[in-house]
Every structure is written in structure tokens, then in C-alpha cells.
Amino acid sequence: MHLFLKRVQIPLRIGKMANSKFEYVRNFESEDRLLPNCWIIVRIDGKNFHKYSSKHNFTKPNDARALNLMNRSAFCVMKEYKDIVLSYGESDEYSFVLRKETELHNRRGTKLLTHITSLFSSSYVFHWRDYFHDQSMLYPPYFDGRIVLYPSDNNLRDYLSWRQVDTHINNLYNTTFWNLVQKGNLTNREAQERLSGTFSSDKNEILFSEFGINYNNEPIMFRKGTILLRKKIKNPHRDKLHQVVLPIFEDMMHDEFWIQHPEILSNIP
Amino acid sequence: MHLFLKRVQIPLRIGKMANSKFEYVRNFESEDRLLPNCWIIVRIDGKNFHKYSSKHNFTKPNDARALNLMNRSAFCVMKEYKDIVLSYGESDEYSFVLRKETELHNRRGTKLLTHITSLFSSSYVFHWRDYFHDQSMLYPPYFDGRIVLYPSDNNLRDYLSWRQVDTHINNLYNTTFWNLVQKGNLTNREAQERLSGTFSSDKNEILFSEFGINYNNEPIMFRKGTILLRKKIKNPHRDKLHQVVLPIFEDMMHDEFWIQHPEILSNIP
Amino acid sequence: MHLFLKRVQIPLRIGKMANSKFEYVRNFESEDRLLPNCWIIVRIDGKNFHKYSSKHNFTKPNDARALNLMNRSAFCVMKEYKDIVLSYGESDEYSFVLRKETELHNRRGTKLLTHITSLFSSSYVFHWRDYFHDQSMLYPPYFDGRIVLYPSDNNLRDYLSWRQVDTHINNLYNTTFWNLVQKGNLTNREAQERLSGTFSSDKNEILFSEFGINYNNEPIMFRKGTILLRKKIKNPHRDKLHQVVLPIFEDMMHDEFWIQHPEILSNIP
Amino acid sequence: MHLFLKRVQIPLRIGKMANSKFEYVRNFESEDRLLPNCWIIVRIDGKNFHKYSSKHNFTKPNDARALNLMNRSAFCVMKEYKDIVLSYGESDEYSFVLRKETELHNRRGTKLLTHITSLFSSSYVFHWRDYFHDQSMLYPPYFDGRIVLYPSDNNLRDYLSWRQVDTHINNLYNTTFWNLVQKGNLTNREAQERLSGTFSSDKNEILFSEFGINYNNEPIMFRKGTILLRKKIKNPHRDKLHQVVLPIFEDMMHDEFWIQHPEILSNIP
């Protein structure tokens, strides 16, 4: 896009400066229209966030400020892209689900992917101060983006279950690991060895018996990640319902979730 | 990437939480390795920057602060991606040229495209204050990204000539247009009609005879855009040469440029 | 594939003949795994069959020999590719439907597409004599092939309805056209003008009132095209059912068809 | 393509038969325009030709009839596709090189790939009798097809060298192997073990000392494969040169070949 004026129609002959001689290079660009009637997922994922979180002293194993900043950035993306029906975030990653029928940007994958990744990235820096206050950002972070298609509602549900189970597995592991290190005085290596080969039940047991922690009482955002949904709510000062994006913390792997939020799969714009 | 720990190897049976049931969804991702032995261009382009520049009172027809912020963001990208041999920016767009032989991210197009677009976007917000000082950013901007392959050196040169001629055409038009409006007291519409069908020589004439402006004396960054190149320079305190990224303002459509900077096409990492 | 021996493992050093120097060119090949959980259609279509049918004196508007040869070739394809659950042919085109879950050739589109197109083409020549007897083939025909994915069962049904409605529209037009020309003594051009702007009902009326033809009594293969399905039938000499490929002539755009043949959508190998 | 009439323009309302309801399925097809300014290779390869050659008693290790039939089929393809500048065949595979600048079928890869694969396949069956005479074809063969792009002339030359070195390696191995089996009375397994780990020089030595065969005197078509080139020759009865496709048997890995046949890389239609 040009800053001040629409790209002008240039008369064909403008001396030796005519661009027509070089314009053939546009033909090297390729189309990438995504298959219709598929759910479109854009997933972004922090690049080198191990280092980034360490340099910025993120609290371990979960930093509520960092998670809320991720949520805020995702919120900015949803405000701009009305065809995103659900977003799901955990740790330094976020998945955006565009409705099956979307014709946004004529379903060109590259456009959808880069716009969302770009807006998420700039929002993260823009809103940093709201969450980290006096702690300065030392350098700009960046994110990996990818796009995946899912043909059926079940595939979509399984995708979201996959990410949410991943949240559970990683968070239970990390919570136990960091308790062993921070309160149990184990080295990182000792903690890793201690947890090697253990099951969920073993980790729950360690947390409870050694640190008095009932894992199920840990903050729900840490345990389940954040789901952003569009909901219609009543405005006390007005009659009409209006739509907002709300964070919720529920289990997507059970049917109840999908029954409670039928608008997700209903595919109505 | 996970924030605190490398993704853990999970024992197969962890009760009903095993992720193996859902993990099949990973097979829906597709490879996108780019054809080897081609120049890879990533071009980013401001999304809705007409509005963005207007809301942020960018000077017309060129805002040096905004252009320098673009250059700074491109500089951040080049610092991270050593395989970018040249970048070229004009207005709200920037092109990054990765050397033909790069095996970065195994030439996966989506990775290259999203990383560069993301880092450019976050850098833009991060460095805003250095250029706009007290003037706050009102909302985060975002960028469109695309990737194009060019098989031959000539194709690459023609691509860069295409962008630079575009800079010339647009800047000459915009400079004349805004002089007609700002100093000539024409309305936007009148200025547009006045310029309709004119050639370069006509616009140069208008600038000179009506506003006393010799277009060739306009700032070179406005007329030619900014080329960022890696150059080895002498460090006064040390013996060894070291590499820096330097902005230069030259004509890429002539052979001299390529003779003067043989390292660009030489394809040596 | 090599004719007589499996491709041999070659010791690394075989003098100057070592192929390792050139083998890098294999990296220029690209993967093309098709999105999982989608119906895969391969459609082949005669190339320049207007001329081919004319040179070989195909009966107009339908040549039963040519259609049966198409069916026979499709039959050969289905015998080789067990994951084709339905084929549909009309005129000089044939569509092959591979079941959603097929992992044949690891879902590589190029393999599926070229194998089917190639086998259809060679079968057409191989079986020509069975249908055209003493009439020689003058030159080898060839076919265009394409591959399309359909995410939902409804998309698949709509695709097949689209092809079958096309058969109807074209056959009704062609039948009327050739009656006007052959029995009505109109020139091609006059027939074309006579039919311009007419509806189905108009063409039915022309056929009936001018040529005494009830279109619904025309051969069903001409009117509906040929559907090839796998069916289990009883072998009189054996106890077990065995599977055969059968031609049927039914309406795919109605629900009955899909209720009567539940195995098509059931996706069981 | 429709057999007798161009696809007719159908009035919008034709009762319930209107195809417009289903036609949306066409949007699921995707474009596949190949990157411009690259050499396009289509390579076809016999599918299950180990079995095919055995069922049809092909002479081992080389069957001149089978090779000549391959050449004839490639010749048919070149006659139809004038933008093929060189073809190279060995064993049951053939590579077709389309000139860099070709705009045939608007560079749509699927079209180029399927047309060539299809025409090769049908030609193979069509011309069988000319080479195998009374020996009947038992069943139709089919071919795998793939398409690969090469950006530079060197890449193209390396590709062809790769295939020709492969011919050499395989033919030397097969010639030695079958001499050991047929004249040396070794079993297949014994011959394989005998050759395991041997170099070219060892195989040459075995052939010479045990069977009196100077490998370099073996038929050149077996040793080097067949190159088909377009050449302009003098017609004795006419003044003008006219173009023919000629088989030649030369080394493509040396510069001489490319100097002797400058028209290949010159990229003139």
C-alpha cells in the first residue's frame, strides 16, 4: 500500500523510466488459495522464547503477566479479524480458528498467515507496558506462524484437544519440576531425572506429598490455557445485545464444551 | 517453543490424558520447501497505511521519521538473518533478498516469511519512540508479507529495478501533487486532474517553474529509497575488518551498482 | 523402476563415474502430500477428442462403442486401485473417487494422478479392438488429468451431481441438435440457432413433435452416464461372496442413490 | 472436452436441472502455474516393469525392442510438444526437457505432466506391434510421472548427467550380472554376492577375462541411453531445411556435447 495516494495509473511512455520493462517479475508470484470448506488454523509460536523469557525474568513455571499479554495480543487479532471464531493460547503459542466458509482475502493463505502473525507481534510490543509496567522490553520478540487446514468438525475438535492436552502435560511437568528445583533444592538435572518416566499420577503425588500442592487448585489459566470466544452480552444502558470477546477456561476435549458454545461450529458469520 | 523446558518426552501411558489420540492432527500440516538455487525475496507491505499515516500525522509526501523507522526495523531483521544480502525499502514496503544457496530453516517458505514479517512488525513498534519521540503510537500497525522466487540474477536485478522505478514514479507524482495542494492551493481533485496524463518531464517542469523545486535536489532517500547492504569496514581500534549493515542510496538499474557491490551476486555466505 | 534388478547400492568410490556429484538434483523434487480426510477425485478428459471422434467416425451424438471402451478402461483402473470406491464416466471424461482415508502412495497427488491417467490411456488403446473390431485406431489418443479434493460428503455428492447434470444438459442438447441436422436437414448453424435460448422442455418438445422421440426412452447410458461401483455378489459355485465392479445407471443427485449404496460414503476399505 | 459440440452456453433457468447449484465445486480446483524462467523436466518411469518385462520375456539385460518402443513413444510426445528441446531415455524411464520460456498451457504443471504421461502411455501400446510383432501384449502397462524444475543451465546439465551416469552404473552392473548368471552359471544370489562391493574396473575386468567382452564394444544405446534432439536437415527434393527428431548417443556430462548442440540451451522456440 502506498502511503498517501492510491497507486497511480502511469501513462505508458514516461521516457526511460517506464516500469513496464521490469513489471514481468510480478508473474513469478504464485496464488495460494486455500481449499474451501475447511477450518483454517493459524498458529503462532514464540521464536527463541526460552531465552526471551529468561532475559525478561518471567516467573517460573508460569508468568501471569506474559500469559495475559499473549491473551491481549490475541484479542487485538480477533477484533480485526471477525471471521476468527475461537482462539486458544498456552505458554508462548496461540491458535486462531477461522470459520470454514470465510472468504477473507479470497482465502489466500499467505495473506491470512502474515497479517495475523504481524498484528500479533506488533500488539505484543504495543501492550507490553500494560502488563510489565516499569520492566522494560529489552529487544523485540518474534513469532513463527503456520497455517493448517482441517476438513471436518471432528478434526478441528481434535486439534484443539491436542493443544489443550499439551498444555496439561507440559504444565503439570513444569509445575512439578520447578517445585522440585525452587522448594526441593534439586538441581535442574536432578529434577529432570526424578521426573523421568513418571506418569501424571506420580507428579500429582509429588506435588501433594512433598509441597502440599493440590494441582487442581493451581490457577485455571495455567492448567487449561485461555480460550477466547465471541459472546453476545447485554449492555445495561442499551437494549440490544452486543458482541464481545471473552476469555474462558474450560475443557475443549469434552462434548459439553461444544454443546455449551454451539456458535463455534455453526459457521454463521 | 515452550517457555521453560524443552518439550518433554512423555511416557506413552499417562491415563486418559495421553496426547497420542489427538496427535494425528499434525499430519495435516504440509511441507513447503522452496525450490533450491533461486533467489528468495520476502516483501512486507504496510496494511492500511493510508489511514495509519494519516492518524499519526506523517508529513506529506514523505515523512523522514517513518522512513527511518522502516529502515531501522529492516536493520533488525538483517541483524538476525545473516543470509539476507540486500534489503530495499520505500514508502511502507521493504524487500529482503536471501542468497540463492541459503539453507536457513531448510528453505521452508512459511518459516522464512513469518519470522521476517513478525520481527519487522515488532521492531517497528519497539523502535517507534526513537523516531517519533513524544508522539505516541495510537495503535499497533501490521504488515502484509509475501515470498517470491527468482531463478536468475537478471530476474533479481529486474525485481529490484521494478521496485526502484516504482519509488521514482510514485515519489515524483506525490511530490508534485502535494506541492500543488499545499503551496498551489489546489484541491486534491484538482491536483489529480492537473497531473492526469502527464509525463515525468511535465512533472519536473511543474515543480521547477511553479514552485522553484529542482526535483533532483530533493532528498535522495525520498527519490531512490533505501538499500541496506553488508559491508566490511575497518575498526580504528582493531586490526580486523568487521561487517556492518550500511544504508546506501544508489541506482540499482544500472550495471555500475552491481560492479561496485560484487558481493551481492557472488553468493558467498 | 529398473527393468531387471532392484536399483543397486553403489559403493561410494567408482572412479570418475560416481553419481554422488550430480545426485543433488534430486533435492529439486517437491513433496505433494494431499490434505488428509478429504475425498480425492481424479478426473481424466479426452484431449482434442472432437477431432479424434471425427477421424474415427464415432456415431453422433453418442457412440456406444466409444462409451463402452471408456467404461472398460475405467474398469481396468478400478481393478488396480482398490481404494477407488466409485467412478463416473460420460462422453470422453471419467472421474475416479478415492476414499477419504486412503493412504495409497502416501497420498502423494502426483503419483495418484499420473498412475491413473497413464493406466486409463494405455487401457484405452489396449482394449480398442474389443469395441471397434476391424476399424483401426489411426493414432494414439491422450487425456488431460486433474486432481481435486472435497472435504465433506456433501461436496462429493455435489461434485457427482454436477457431472451428471452436465451429462444430461449436454446429451439433451446434442440429441436434439443431431436430430435437427440428420433428420431435419438443418445445417449445423441453423440447428445451433434453433436451439439458442431454449429450455429443456423446449428440446423435449422438438424431439417428440418433430422426430417422434421420447427423450426418456433414449438409452439410459447416454442420458445418465455410467457409474462403476464395487459390489459383493454370490458366486454360484462357491459359498463366499466376492467383489466385482458393476456398471449402474442411476441418479446420483437424489438421496435414494446414497441410501441404496451406503458403502460409498461409509469409508470402509 | 465434449465429443461433438463445444460446451454449450446454457440459459440460466432450465427447470430443476440447472447446474448452477452444483457448479460451486469447481472452486475446489487449484492453480498450479510453474515458476517462470526454469527448465521444466517431466520424467516418466515404468510402474512394476520388473514384472512387466518378465511376463513379456524381455531379453536380459537389455531388450532392444523394448528400448526402441520407449524411443518411439518419446518421439510421439516430441512431435506433439514442440517445446520439448531434448528427451533422454534409459531402461523404462524417459525424461522430457521443456524449454525455460515455454508458455505451453500457461505453464500449468498438471496439464504438462498428465498430457505427456498419457500420450507416452497410449503410444507405447499403439506402437507395440511394430517392435514385438507377433508377441502379444498381455496387459496394458502404466507409468509414473513427475515434474521437476531446474533454475539454471548447470542444474539442467547436472540432471541429465545424473540420469546418464545412472544408465552407465546400472548397465555395467546388469551386463556383468547377467553374464555371470547366463554364461557363468551362477545363481542370481551368487552373482549378486560376487558383485557386491566391486568397482567399475572390477566389473570391466570380470567381463573381459571371464567372458571375453570388452564393455566399450557393447551397443552404445545400452551404454549411454538415447538422446532425442531436434535437428534441421536438408531435404534432397526441396531447398529448405526441415526439422526432424533424431536419436543420438553421446556423453552429456562433457562440455563438447553442449558445444556441439548449442540450440538446446539457446532457448529459441
Side-chain angles (χ1 to χ4, degrees), chain A residues 238-250:
Chain A
R238 277 188 281 173
D239 276 351
K240 277 203 276 182
L241 294 171
H242 77 136
Q243 207 187 48
V244 293
V245 172
L246 289 180
I248 64 169
F249 308 96
E250 299 178 2

Side-chain angles (χ1 to χ4, degrees), chain D residues 3 10 42 113 115 127 134 138 171 185 187 190 193 196-197 200 205 215 221 249 265:
Chain D
L3 289 176
I10 303 300
V42 171
L113 176 61
H115 292 182
H127 291 294
D134 290 342
L138 301 174
N171 190 59
N185 293 318
T187 64
E190 286 164 350
E193 276 165 13
S196 164
S200 289
E205 180 61 22
Y215 181 72
M221 180 171 73
F249 308 96
L265 299 180

Side-chain angles (χ1 to χ4, degrees), chain A:
Chain A
M1 228 223 52
H2 271 262
L3 288 176
F4 301 113
L5 289 168
K6 296 208 181 126
R7 209 170 281 267
V8 291
Q9 280 297 99
I10 303 299
L12 277 179
R13 190 179 57 78
I14 46 163
K16 59 174 177 164
M17 273 315 185
N19 217 341
S20 52
K21 183 182 158 192
F22 301 122
E23 234 167 350
Y24 80 91
V25 296
R26 298 179 80 167
N27 294 327
F28 289 63
E29 298 189 18
S30 66
E31 273 293 315
D32 66 334
R33 193 176 143 79
L34 300 172
L35 187 67
N37 201 23
C38 289
W39 294 99
I40 301 169
I41 304 260
V42 172
R43 180 164 85 245
I44 64 96
D45 198 7
K47 182 80 186 141
N48 299 328
F49 258 54
H50 189 67
K51 179 183 162 201
Y52 199 81
S53 62
S54 153
K55 291 277 184 194
H56 289 87
N57 301 311
F58 285 10
T59 308
K60 288 160 180 172
N62 289 290
D63 187 307
R65 299 166 304 174
L67 292 174
N68 283 320
L69 176 54
M70 291 290 289
N71 292 345
R72 176 69 170 271
S73 305
F75 179 85
C76 291
V77 170
M78 285 185 80
K79 240 180 64 186
E80 192 83 7
Y81 279 86
K82 305 301 187 196
D83 278 0
I84 297 172
V85 293
L86 179 155
S87 305
Y88 176 69
E90 58 146 337
S91 182
D92 63 343
E93 77 164 49
Y94 237 99
S95 297
F96 299 93
V97 181
L98 287 110
R99 62 191 196 82
K100 254 181 172 171
E101 311 287 354
T102 188
E103 281 297 328
L104 210 58
H105 298 306
N106 202 23
R107 290 182 86 86
R108 275 178 296 169
T110 298
K111 293 245 171 258
L112 296 169
L113 176 62
T114 58
H115 292 183
I116 288 175
T117 306
S118 175
L119 182 52
F120 191 95
S121 306
S122 59
S123 299
Y124 192 95
V125 184
F126 186 82
H127 291 294
W128 171 276
R129 193 172 294 257
D130 296 343
Y131 300 91
F132 284 88
H133 309 293
D134 291 341
Q135 186 186 324
S136 294
M137 181 179 272
L138 302 174
Y139 60 92
Y142 64 108
F143 295 86
D144 180 75
R146 80 191 65 198
I147 201 159
V148 199
L149 297 179
Y150 290 107
S152 75
D153 294 355
N154 275 336
N155 292 150
L156 172 68
R157 288 182 54 173
D158 287 348
Y159 171 81
L160 290 166
S161 296
W162 175 53
R163 298 323 305 141
Q164 197 168 36
V165 169
D166 203 62
T167 304
H168 170 77
I169 290 171
N170 282 289
N171 190 59
L172 178 56
Y173 184 96
N174 290 343
T175 302
T176 317
F177 179 92
W178 287 110
N179 271 290
L180 287 169
V181 169
Q182 289 163 351
K183 301 187 194 154
N185 293 319
L186 264 56
T187 63
N188 283 14
R189 197 190 172 132
E190 287 165 349
Q192 205 175 338
E193 276 165 12
R194 175 80 191 280
L195 293 177
S196 165
T198 58
F199 298 135
S200 288
S201 53
D202 301 323
K203 297 186 195 79
N204 275 308
E205 180 61 23
I206 291 172
L207 284 174
F208 191 72
S209 61
E210 301 188 21
F211 307 106
I213 291 170
N214 181 338
Y215 181 72
N216 289 326
N217 294 338
E218 288 293 286
I220 194 165
M221 181 170 72
F222 299 171
R223 288 184 292 114
K224 300 201 181 297
T226 302
I227 302 160
L228 298 180
L229 282 186
R230 299 184 189 283
K231 287 290 176 188
K232 291 209 167 98
I233 59 166
K234 245 211 185 104
N235 185 322
H237 307 291
R238 277 188 281 173
D239 276 351
K240 277 203 276 182
L241 294 171
H242 77 136
Q243 207 187 48
V244 293
V245 172
L246 289 180
I248 64 169
F249 308 96
E250 299 178 2
D251 276 330
M252 294 186 287
M253 72 212 71
H254 303 310
D255 288 342
E256 290 124 276
F257 177 83
W258 302 95
I259 293 163
Q260 293 246 344
H261 308 286
E263 74 280 6
I264 304 170
L265 298 180
S266 70
N267 215 6
I268 296 155

Side-chain angles (χ1 to χ4, degrees), chain D residues 244-257:
Chain D
V244 293
V245 172
L246 289 181
I248 65 171
F249 308 96
E250 300 178 0
D251 275 330
M252 293 186 288
M253 72 212 72
H254 303 310
D255 287 342
E256 290 122 278
F257 177 82

Side-chain angles (χ1 to χ4, degrees), chain C residues 180-236:
Chain C
L180 287 169
V181 169
Q182 290 163 350
K183 300 186 195 156
N185 293 318
L186 265 56
T187 64
N188 283 15
R189 196 187 175 136
E190 286 164 349
Q192 205 176 337
E193 276 164 15
R194 175 79 192 278
L195 293 176
S196 164
T198 57
F199 299 136
S200 289
S201 52
D202 302 322
K203 296 186 197 78
N204 276 306
E205 179 61 22
I206 291 170
L207 284 173
F208 191 71
S209 61
E210 301 188 21
F211 307 106
I213 291 170
N214 182 338
Y215 181 72
N216 289 326
N217 295 337
E218 289 292 286
I220 194 165
M221 180 170 74
F222 299 172
R223 287 184 291 117
K224 301 203 180 295
T226 302
I227 302 161
L228 297 180
L229 283 184
R230 297 185 191 283
K231 289 289 176 187
K232 290 207 167 101
I233 59 166
K234 244 207 184 107
N235 185 324

Side-chain angles (χ1 to χ4, degrees), chain D residues 97-114:
Chain D
V97 181
L98 287 109
R99 62 190 196 83
K100 255 181 169 171
E101 312 287 354
T102 187
E103 283 297 329
L104 210 58
H105 298 306
N106 201 24
R107 290 181 85 85
R108 275 179 296 169
T110 299
K111 293 243 172 261
L112 295 169
L113 176 61
T114 57

Side-chain angles (χ1 to χ4, degrees), chain C residues 1-8 10-11 13-14 16-19 21-26 28-29 43 45-51 53 58-63 67 76 80-81 90-93 105 110-111 113-115 117-119 121-123 125-127 129 137-151 154-155 158-159 161-163 165-166 168-170 173-174 177-178 197-200 253-254, chain D residues 1-8 10-11 13-14 16-19 21-26 28-29 43 45-51 53 58-63 67 76 80-81 90-93 105 110-111 113-115 117-119 121-123 125-127 129 137-151 154-155 158-159 161-163 165-166 168-170 173-174 177-178 197-200 203 253-254:
Chain C
M1 228 219 57
H2 270 265
L3 289 176
F4 302 115
L5 288 169
K6 293 208 183 127
R7 207 171 283 266
V8 291
I10 303 298
R13 190 178 57 77
I14 47 162
K16 59 173 175 164
M17 273 313 185
N19 217 343
K21 181 182 160 193
F22 301 121
E23 235 168 349
Y24 80 91
V25 297
R26 298 179 79 165
F28 288 64
E29 298 189 18
R43 180 165 83 245
D45 199 7
K47 182 80 184 140
N48 299 328
F49 258 53
H50 188 69
K51 180 183 162 200
S53 63
F58 286 10
T59 307
K60 289 158 180 175
N62 290 288
D63 187 307
L67 292 173
C76 291
E80 192 82 8
Y81 279 87
E90 57 148 336
S91 182
D92 63 343
E93 77 166 49
H105 298 306
T110 298
K111 292 245 173 259
L113 176 61
T114 57
H115 292 183
T117 307
S118 175
L119 182 52
S121 306
S122 60
S123 299
V125 183
F126 186 82
H127 291 294
R129 192 172 295 257
M137 181 179 272
L138 302 173
Y139 60 92
Y142 64 109
F143 296 86
D144 179 75
R146 78 191 66 197
I147 199 159
V148 198
L149 297 179
Y150 290 108
N154 275 335
N155 293 150
D158 287 348
Y159 171 81
S161 296
W162 175 53
R163 299 322 304 139
V165 169
D166 203 61
H168 170 77
I169 291 170
N170 282 289
Y173 184 95
N174 291 343
F177 179 92
W178 288 109
T198 57
F199 299 136
S200 289
M253 71 212 71
H254 303 310
Chain D
M1 229 221 55
H2 271 265
L3 289 176
F4 301 114
L5 289 169
K6 295 209 181 125
R7 209 170 280 268
V8 290
I10 303 300
R13 189 178 57 77
I14 46 161
K16 60 173 176 167
M17 272 315 185
N19 217 343
K21 182 182 160 191
F22 301 122
E23 234 167 349
Y24 79 91
V25 296
R26 298 178 79 166
F28 289 63
E29 297 189 18
R43 181 165 83 245
D45 199 7
K47 182 81 185 139
N48 300 327
F49 259 53
H50 189 68
K51 179 183 162 202
S53 62
F58 285 11
T59 308
K60 289 160 182 172
N62 291 288
D63 187 308
L67 292 174
C76 291
E80 192 83 6
Y81 279 87
E90 59 148 336
S91 182
D92 63 343
E93 78 167 48
H105 298 306
T110 299
K111 293 243 172 261
L113 176 61
T114 57
H115 292 182
T117 307
S118 174
L119 181 53
S121 307
S122 60
S123 299
V125 184
F126 186 81
H127 291 294
R129 192 172 296 257
M137 180 179 271
L138 301 174
Y139 59 92
Y142 64 108
F143 296 86
D144 180 74
R146 78 191 66 197
I147 200 158
V148 198
L149 296 179
Y150 290 107
N154 275 335
N155 292 150
D158 288 348
Y159 171 81
S161 296
W162 175 52
R163 298 321 305 138
V165 169
D166 204 62
H168 170 77
I169 291 170
N170 282 289
Y173 185 96
N174 290 342
F177 179 92
W178 287 110
T198 56
F199 299 135
S200 289
K203 296 186 196 79
M253 72 212 72
H254 303 310

